[in-house]
Amino acid sequence: MTKIIGIESFDVRFPTSKMLDGSDAMNQDPDYSAAYLRITTDKAGLHGDSLVFTIGRGNDVQITAINMLTSKIQGLTVDDAFARIGQIARDLSGDSQIRWLGADYGVFHMAAGAVLNALWDLFAKAKGVPLWKLLSDMTPEQIVDAIDFRYITDALTREEALDIRHRMNSDKAANEEILRTKGAPAYTTSPGWLGYSDEKMLDLTKKAMDDGFKLIKYKCGKSIADDQRRLGKVRELVGPNFKIAIDANQVWDVDVAITWINALKEYKLHWVEEPTSPNDVIGHAKIAAAVAPTQIATGEMASSRIIFKQLLQAKGFSVMQIDATRVAGVNENLANILMAAKFGVPVCPHAGGVGLCEMVQHLAMWDAVAVSGHHSSRVVEFVDHLHQHFLEPVSVKGGYYMAPNLPGSSAEMYQASIDEYSFPSGSYWKNEANS
């Protein structure tokens, strides 16, 4: 039986701050980075890959946390790990001396997610299927066994999760055919970075519309006057009915957010994203009630299933935005998606960064095939940066994510890219960083 025999980690950093790609009101000079993990096995060529997305120096801490957890899976067989993935998830989050630093949130929670995501990549590669297909073909009982229901049974019980999955069984084949032929709807943030000039923003907006996107998101929060100026130019270009959204990246206090969002009502915003602290559930609920019918979207920095549970119960958002690497991996996102299905809230995943588009598409596609089906409210974020570094970069055509075909979770990077951008010893950082 195939056995896990080694763990490798890599500090991979891309110099995106030079072009202000990824810039917003909170994060003004990000270097998109990956705390990258590879699980190796005794079968030649078979390994599981994953990453945690950071924006630079955070890699130092994140990689240390990942390396502290990987000993827990050394020596396991792939089949045993797949059969026990729910218990492995609980074990990774349950080390009391590490958990003391942050119970179900923070750097170590994300490190657990890196290990779990690498395992899921390994499982899918071992079975020769993409992750979305592996998840879709798992029985409802297998899916539910992977979930840690601690602290969320007041919102979703094991029995309710099973019922949600069983109800979709008869539609799975048809849903998979739609996915394979049409894909999953996408939206884009590529035109909207706050550091871009108006000219660049509008040129990229035209391109996005020509590429088939039906929703474009713009960063905001510098000042009300600046947002009004930029959104006015965008609305003039796209017309009165094209969907636009904005993202504040947590820069506002609650009452400031309410005033600011209401000052932008004339621009017909499809949603306003991350209006305040990602941990302020009551604040989100107050904002959502005060700015309705403008929708509130959040979740890319929601640290766990517990925060998502509270946001759903408090009606703190109308759009759930899961992230592939913010929580404890695939396992916890299965819970998040099933909770959203129970509450009737669409899941519109956050993506971009390094590898986030590649990874999160599989979760959205599982949702479309096996949980809530295909519907017009689900759109998956697309940002056109750094895809060339991955073995199977995302394919977006006519505003739709096409289903990936290679086995795995699409998280695997080319070794040449890892070698070039490894910090500080990679060829880029040694030879070109100061040029």
Side-chain angles (χ1 to χ4, degrees):
M1 299 181 75
T2 305
K3 182 178 290 188
I4 294 169
I5 60 171
I7 309 292
E8 299 175 281
S9 59
F10 306 89
D11 181 343
V12 184
R13 306 188 194 187
F14 297 96
T16 51
S17 60
K18 285 194 170 185
M19 298 298 292
L20 295 179
D21 296 335
S23 56
D24 58 52
M26 181 66 74
N27 310 293
Q28 297 172 16
D29 58 348
D31 280 331
Y32 278 6
S33 302
Y36 193 93
L37 169 66
R38 179 179 295 144
I39 298 172
T40 58
T41 73
D42 59 4
K43 182 176 180 179
L46 179 62
H47 49 86
D49 296 65
S50 76
L51 59 89
V52 174
F53 170 60
T54 83
I55 59 171
R57 291 185 297 276
N59 265 14
D60 295 336
V61 179
Q62 192 64 69
I63 288 174
T64 299
I66 289 171
N67 290 338
M68 288 180 68
L69 294 180
T70 53
S71 62
K72 297 179 182 295
I73 62 168
Q74 287 271 18
L76 295 177
T77 68
V78 174
D79 289 344
D80 183 48
F82 181 67
R84 298 179 50 250
I85 190 60
Q87 185 58 51
I88 291 170
R90 287 183 282 274
D91 291 344
L92 287 168
S93 297
D95 185 316
S96 62
Q97 293 188 14
I98 292 175
R99 182 180 171 82
W100 182 260
L101 298 176
D104 295 302
Y105 68 88
V107 170
F108 279 102
H109 199 56
M110 295 165 73
V115 176
L116 291 167
N117 283 340
L119 285 171
W120 283 101
D121 181 65
L122 178 61
F123 300 153
K125 287 174 177 174
K127 293 181 182 296
V129 295
L131 178 59
W132 68 263
K133 177 63 172 168
L134 172 67
L135 294 171
S136 298
D137 287 348
M138 289 171 65
T139 67
E141 288 74 19
Q142 286 176 309
I143 290 290
V144 169
D145 284 346
I147 295 172
D148 186 351
F149 283 91
R150 287 180 301 178
Y151 313 129
I152 63 169
T153 55
D154 55 322
L156 181 74
T157 65
R158 176 185 173 88
E159 292 71 26
E160 289 171 327
L162 283 169
D163 182 58
I164 291 168
R165 270 295 293 106
H166 277 295
R167 288 203 308 263
M168 190 55 69
N169 274 349
S170 61
D171 296 326
K172 279 202 317 177
N175 286 340
E176 182 174 329
E177 180 62 23
I178 293 170
L179 176 65
R180 289 186 182 276
T181 56
K182 188 174 182 180
Y187 76 93
T188 186
T189 309
S190 293
W193 300 118
L194 200 56
Y196 287 174
S197 67
D198 289 355
E199 182 180 22
K200 184 172 184 178
M201 174 185 71
L202 295 175
D203 285 346
L204 290 173
T205 296
K206 291 177 190 174
K207 183 180 184 303
M209 296 175 73
D210 291 342
D211 288 342
F213 292 102
K214 307 301 183 188
L215 168 64
I216 302 174
K217 187 173 73 183
Y218 299 86
K219 300 296 181 174
C220 68
K222 187 176 180 180
S223 72
I224 291 178
D226 187 64
D227 287 346
Q228 290 172 329
R229 178 185 58 78
R230 293 173 75 244
L231 291 173
K233 289 177 179 290
V234 169
R235 183 52 80 192
E236 181 180 4
L237 173 65
V238 304
N241 298 317
F242 189 90
K243 292 180 181 178
I244 62 174
I246 60 171
D247 184 355
N249 288 99
Q250 315 154 36
V251 296
W252 300 323
D253 281 2
V254 171
D255 291 337
V256 171
I258 293 168
T259 300
W260 204 299
I261 295 167
N262 283 328
L264 302 177
K265 287 273 191 181
E266 65 181 284
Y267 304 105
K268 296 175 61 178
L269 301 174
H270 186 62
W271 74 55
V272 177
E273 186 170 328
E274 286 202 303
T276 193
S277 166
N279 299 313
D280 188 354
V281 173
I282 294 173
H284 274 87
K286 181 178 178 181
I287 294 167
V291 305
T294 301
Q295 298 184 108
I296 296 300
T298 198
E300 73 177 80
M301 280 201 170
S303 57
S304 72
R305 65 198 182 281
I306 298 106
I307 293 293
F308 278 119
K309 176 196 76 169
Q310 294 173 352
L311 285 164
L312 288 164
Q313 291 173 325
K315 299 181 180 179
F317 57 17
S318 299
V319 177
M320 178 190 281
Q321 296 177 307
I322 62 169
D323 180 275
T325 77
R326 176 64 57 182
V327 298
V330 170
N331 300 60
E332 193 160 29
N333 271 323
L334 300 179
N336 294 332
I337 290 169
L338 286 164
M339 282 194 293
K342 177 187 172 181
F343 282 80
V345 171
V347 178
C348 298
H350 166 253
V354 179
L356 296 182
C357 295
E358 280 72 16
M359 294 171 71
V360 85
Q361 64 178 331
H362 290 270
L363 298 170
M365 291 173 184
W366 172 68
D367 185 12
V369 171
V371 182
S372 62
H374 293 276
H375 55 79
S376 60
S377 296
R378 181 194 304 105
V379 284
V380 185
E381 186 170 20
F382 173 72
V383 181
D384 196 9
H385 300 311
L386 305 173
H387 303 296
Q388 70 272 22
H389 299 289
F390 291 84
L391 267 64
E392 188 178 25
V394 291
S395 174
V396 175
K397 298 179 180 179
Y400 282 77
Y401 272 86
M402 298 293 101
N405 294 309
L406 289 183
S409 67
S410 307
E412 184 176 349
M413 294 179 67
Y414 287 109
Q415 188 61 46
S417 293
I418 294 173
D419 293 342
E420 181 176 1
Y421 290 99
S422 285
F423 185 87
S425 59
S427 58
Y428 172 83
W429 292 106
K430 285 197 301 186
N431 302 325
E432 301 178 44
N434 297 318
S435 63

